[in-house]
């Protein structure tokens, strides 16, 4: 994930701001980390440079 992408991302559940915590990055991108919503406290992983912004359960706004 490019660091500049963080500025345009929002929580898919409540549209709140996401806080970025980086655990691994290289010169070009963030490879591992977490995006956490400041409002509803839902966390989304970043793995292999890909942010996973899919809510995990019905309480987080997921519809079957």
């Amino acid at each position: 994930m490019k660091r500049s992408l963080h500025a345009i991302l929002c929580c898919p559940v409540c549209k709140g701001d996401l806080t970025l915590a980086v655990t691994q990055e290289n010169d070009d991108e963030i490879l591992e980390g977490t995006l956490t919503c400041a409002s509803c406290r839902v966390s989304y992983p970043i793995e292999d440079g890909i942010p996973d912004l899919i809510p995990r359960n019905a309480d987080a706004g997921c519809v079957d």
Side-chain angles (χ1 to χ4, degrees), residues 43-63:
S43 293
Y44 304 95
I46 302 169
E47 297 176 351
D48 297 322
I50 301 168
D52 182 354
L53 296 173
I54 299 172
R56 297 290 181 253
N57 59 44
D59 293 335
C62 183
V63 177

Side-chain angles (χ1 to χ4, degrees), residues 4 9 14-15 19-21 23 30-31 33-34 42-43 46 51 62 64:
S4 60
L9 292 176
C14 73
K15 309 300 184 228
T19 302
L20 174 63
T23 55
I30 298 165
L31 300 174
T34 305
V42 176
S43 293
I46 302 169
C62 183
D64 290 332

